[in-house]
Each structure stands twice: as structure tokens, then as C-alpha cells.
Amino acid sequence: MDNIHLNMIEPEDLGEITLLVGDPARVRLIAENWENPRVITNNREFILMSGLWKGVTVSICSTGIGVGSTEIAIIELIQSGVKKLVRLGGCGAWQEKFLPGDLMLNHAMVRDPGLLSHYVSDVYPAVADPDLLQKITRQAEGSGFRVHTGIGITTQSYYHGQGRENKIKNGPKLNNDFMPYWQERHITNADMETAVLFLLASLYQIPAANCLVVHVNRLNQKWVSDEDYQGFHQKAAEIVLDACIG
């Protein structure tokens, strides 16, 4: 079946590694440091670009926010012949020792039931490729970042599903036990996309990992500034690319 959203892709358009980012604006931010960057497709929240990094063809694709749009991007990239997938994104830290601006590399993710159960039972794990994760971790540890690994959680909700109260009156109340339950089980961080990457990559035998910038610590609500956040993502992209093509 031809791609419906990531259209006009040929297998030769995709590089040795494809980075995944949520924000379409971050695609151009990261690709501006490549040689001969070019747009392959630009449709809705999905922008796919390829270029050369140290003489090797690499790619980057935006997924939008959340499991639903990320599923579309990953399935259509796999249909197009993608070789490796690494999610570059942000996460909220759920333990005190993780600081804004740190890097988090998850070896596994807790996942919500729901969309992913259409592919496999909820007991199937969402895990990173161990070899790819190890390569990125080694590269990151020599980069000057504080680097952490652990089990995170991917939710399909930004507000109540991550223990955040909203300001709407006369609606459902927040379950205040949600975050403490997972913190007691040593969950390190939360995002909204990694689990779908790990699960689909495992099912379709594509090496996959993540490299996330901690943009907020949820315990003290300390955030990275927007300017620093974008710079951290550029550096994280370089770490991942060097690890994967070295």
C-alpha cells in the first residue's frame, strides 16, 4: 500500500538513520547543520528531510504530538524502507535527581492500553534495541551532558494522564495517586511518543532507541528556557548521528 501521509518517498530518500521529532519546526533546526538538506515530503504535521552528515545520508521526520500521529509516521516510514529510528524529543522528569537539560535514554517504557493493543496484547513490552541504545549512551556520556537511563512512561494524555490538573471547573477531578504510584515503581520520566516507537520497531524488526532532553522536573516545576531547549536538541541530534554512523 502506498503511503497516505508521508507520500512521495522512495527507499533511496531515507538515510542510514532517521531521527524522529515531535515538533515540525525542529526538523529544519536540526537539518540546518547538514550538507545539502532537502525536503522529501511536507504534509500536515509530517515533514521529512534528508541530507548528509559527515558524508553519510541521514533523515529526520516530525511526528506531531502523541501516539496516534506517531503511529502513522512510523508505519509509513517502515513501509518506505527505513533502516534505524531514534526519537529525539522532550520529557518531564519524575524523580528529583534528574535536572532540566539532562539527557534521558530509556531502555523500556510503560504504556497505556488503547491504540497499541490493535497491534499486540498489552503484556507485550515496549523496549529499545539494546545495541543501538548502548552506542548512543556511550556517545552521550562523553558529550558533557548528564546522562541517565531508566524505565519511562508513555501516556496518551498530557493533562490528567500525566498527573496534571487543568483549570476547567465542574469537570472530572484529577487522580492524585497517578504520579506517586509510578514514582514508587522508579519510573524516571514521561513522554507521549516513545512507547509506540519501541513497540512497532520491535514488531517490524527495526532497530530503535530514544534520546530525550529533560525539559522540566515535575517535582519542582523547573523548566529549561526555550532558547536552551532548542540548542540542547541540536547537540543531542549530533550525539545520536555520530553514534549511529561512526
Side-chain angles (χ1 to χ4, degrees), residues 110-128:
V110 174
R111 60 185 179 90
D112 285 345
L115 181 148
L116 298 177
S117 64
H118 292 291
Y119 287 90
V120 70
S121 164
D122 289 337
V123 300
Y124 190 94
V127 295

Side-chain angles (χ1 to χ4, degrees), residues 94-95 98 110 151-153 182-183 185-190:
W94 283 19
Q95 302 291 340
F98 306 131
V110 174
I151 302 174
I153 183 170
W182 289 113
Q183 287 169 319
R185 287 152 179 82
H186 308 292
I187 291 303
T188 55
N189 60 294

Side-chain angles (χ1 to χ4, degrees), residues 212-224:
L212 307 179
V213 176
V214 175
H215 63 93
V216 61
N217 184 295
R218 290 288 306 281
L219 281 73
N220 56 32
Q221 289 301 312
K222 290 185 178 179
W223 291 75
V224 171

Side-chain angles (χ1 to χ4, degrees), residues 93-100 102 104 146 148 188 214 217:
W94 283 19
Q95 302 291 340
E96 189 173 2
K97 64 182 178 180
F98 306 131
L99 304 179
D102 289 356
M104 178 64 68
R146 281 169 34 104
H148 311 282
T188 55
V214 175
N217 184 295

